């Protein structure tokens, strides 16, 4: 697996080198997303290596007969082979993560300090500062002190509010204490506030000045809090890279499902389908993890763990596809035997 790591690193170098730095944001927020490419290619390479190294992982492979005789059981030691492949994939992902992080630093790309996001939950049923609702409340159970706050409201047309001239004005209060003096002009954009000194916040209130500008829509996702503690950028990159181990686990499960019924090309296609669908349907934590890395957010604070319900649903669908393919292959062999 050394050659795939080097090859994917060279691809990463080309992608990072051709990405322009967004000076307007003060930090590049796009180069980090290229981490998807080398890690996904490593998963595909590990998938092919598992099939090539252990013939019983697919049907009718040359040299698998004697292995099936000396390794009895339902999986014929294929589980150990898949586990070894996943261990090798994990090491390759770590090496690739280090190489990608060093490459970014070599080209002067910096995502800023890595900090943990403080999540908020809305306490109001309707996320609008409109009409008689001139105040929205948000709560958080985070224990870390809040250092920075960013609001991203959106101007909307609301039937209960007559649009006034000018810009809407808001006021932000943390646990009943104003975070800033006076009222802030606010439209469809971002409002950035700093809490000095950083402190733990339990509730946040956003008030709208009556009859000033259009209505505002403000959801809990649009309220972003950041703590004041900086985390390691290299560790954050490694965590994002290791998130692709979940795709390797799903692919290995697909290979084990089809090992007795599917020939090598079909079983490889099943594993690739499992990887691609998991990435596209956002079942795996890879998208959230790499996005957190690119934005300078601590990966472990972004809720990247797989929800149990989505894992069960995707695993059941994958098992169903493998069972259908295996049943079809078995029926075809029986027909040919007759």
């Amino acid at each position: 697996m050394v050659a795939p790591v080097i090859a994917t690193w060279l691809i990463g170098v080309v992608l990072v080198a051709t990405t322009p730095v967004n000076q307007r944001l003060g930090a590049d927020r796009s180069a980090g997303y290229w981490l998807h490419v080398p890690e996904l290619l490593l998963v595909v390479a590990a998938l092919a290596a598992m099939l090539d190294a252990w013939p019983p992982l697919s049907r009718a492979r040359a040299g698998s007969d004697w292995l099936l005789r000396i390794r009895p059981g339902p999986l014929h030691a294929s589980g150990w082979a898949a586990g070894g492949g996943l261990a090798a994939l994990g090491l390759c992902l770590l090496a690739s993560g280090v190489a990608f992080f060093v490459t970014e630093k070599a080209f002067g790309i910096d995502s800023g300090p890595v900090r943990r996001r403080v999540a908020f939950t809305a306490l109001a049923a309707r996320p609008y500062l409109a009409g008689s609702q001139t105040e929205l409340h948000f709560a958080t159970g985070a224990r870390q002190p809040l250092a920075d706050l960013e609001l991203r409201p959106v101007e909307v047309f609301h039937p209960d509010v007559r649009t006034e001239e000018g810009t809407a004005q808001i006021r932000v209060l943390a646990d009943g204490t104003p975070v800033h003096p006076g009222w802030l002009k606010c439209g469809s954009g971002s409002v950035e506030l700093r809490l000095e000194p950083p402190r733990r916040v339990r509730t946040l209130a956003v008030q709208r000045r009556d009859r000033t500008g259009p209505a505002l829509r403000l959801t809990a996702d649009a309220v972003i809090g950041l703590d004041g503690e900086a985390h390691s950028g290299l560790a954050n990159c490694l965590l994002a890279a290791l998130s692709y181990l979940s795709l390797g686990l799903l692919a290995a499960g697909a290979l084990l499902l089809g090992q007795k019924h599917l020939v090598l090309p079909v079983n490889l296609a099943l594993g690739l389908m499992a990887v691609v669908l998991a990435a596209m349907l956002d079942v795996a934590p890879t998208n959230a993890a790499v996005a957190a890395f690119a934005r300078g957010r601590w990966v472990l604070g972004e809720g990247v763990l797989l929800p149990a319900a989505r894992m069960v649903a995707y695993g059941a669908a994958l098992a169903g596809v493998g069972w259908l393919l295996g049943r079809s292959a078995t029926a075809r062999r029986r027909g040919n035997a007759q």
Side-chain angles (χ1 to χ4, degrees):
M1 294 291 287
V2 177
V5 173
I6 296 176
T8 55
W9 169 67
L10 292 176
I11 293 173
V13 169
V14 174
L15 294 174
V16 172
T18 55
T19 302
V21 176
N22 194 336
Q23 298 291 345
R24 183 181 64 84
L25 295 176
D28 188 81
R29 303 294 187 184
S30 55
Y33 287 97
W34 288 121
L35 183 63
H36 280 297
V37 177
E39 309 310 307
L40 183 59
L41 292 177
L42 283 177
V43 173
V44 174
L47 184 65
M50 289 181 203
L51 287 170
D52 181 66
W54 190 250
L57 271 175
S58 53
R59 185 178 65 83
R61 282 285 305 279
S64 63
D65 293 339
W66 67 276
L67 289 174
L68 296 177
R69 287 195 295 268
I70 66 175
R71 296 305 303 237
L75 295 180
H76 302 287
S78 294
W80 290 102
L86 290 175
L89 174 61
L91 294 176
C92 291
L93 292 175
L94 289 175
S96 178
V98 172
F100 189 88
F101 183 79
V102 172
T103 299
E104 278 199 326
K105 294 300 181 183
F107 284 96
I109 293 175
D110 186 11
S111 296
V114 178
R115 293 192 291 170
R116 182 186 295 268
R117 177 174 176 173
V118 178
F120 287 89
T121 57
L123 300 180
R126 301 168 66 249
Y128 295 100
L129 289 170
S132 59
Q133 183 169 300
T134 60
E135 188 170 350
L136 290 176
H137 292 271
F138 304 89
T140 179
R143 296 183 179 180
Q144 60 267 32
L146 187 66
D148 291 279
L149 186 66
E150 182 180 357
L151 307 178
R152 297 177 179 176
V154 178
E155 293 183 355
V156 295
F157 293 99
H158 198 278
D160 297 336
V161 178
R162 182 167 60 89
T163 302
E164 303 290 339
E165 295 293 333
T167 306
Q169 298 182 27
I170 63 171
R171 181 169 59 183
V172 182
L173 299 89
D175 294 329
T177 304
V179 178
H180 56 86
W183 294 84
L184 299 175
K185 292 185 177 181
C186 175
S188 292
S190 62
V191 177
E192 298 181 1
L193 302 170
R194 179 176 293 274
L195 279 69
E196 295 182 351
R199 59 185 183 271
R200 183 181 176 185
V201 175
R202 293 181 176 84
T203 60
L204 197 72
V206 182
Q207 299 175 344
R208 176 181 182 271
R209 197 169 188 175
D210 193 24
R211 302 183 64 82
T212 56
L216 297 175
R217 183 178 186 270
L218 184 63
T219 61
D221 293 337
V223 180
I224 302 171
L226 298 175
D227 67 358
E229 181 183 359
H231 299 270
S232 168
L234 176 59
N236 205 40
C237 183
L238 294 180
L239 288 172
L242 280 177
S243 68
Y244 269 86
L245 200 58
S246 62
L247 289 184
L249 181 62
L250 290 171
L255 297 186
L256 294 175
L257 281 174
Q259 65 166 347
K260 293 184 179 180
H261 309 287
L262 306 179
V263 295
L264 189 147
V266 181
N267 209 15
L268 177 61
L270 178 63
L272 292 177
M273 181 190 70
V275 170
V276 172
L277 287 180
M280 292 179 59
L281 298 177
D282 206 17
V283 174
T286 53
N287 292 339
V290 174
F293 162 69
R295 296 169 183 170
R297 304 287 183 261
W298 183 237
V299 170
L300 295 182
E302 292 292 309
V304 299
L305 298 180
L306 283 174
R310 287 161 65 184
M311 274 200 68
V312 171
Y314 186 79
L318 186 62
V321 171
W323 178 77
L324 289 174
L325 289 175
R327 184 177 179 182
S328 175
T330 303
R332 187 179 298 110
R333 290 202 304 272
R334 289 176 178 174
N336 294 335
Q338 293 176 357

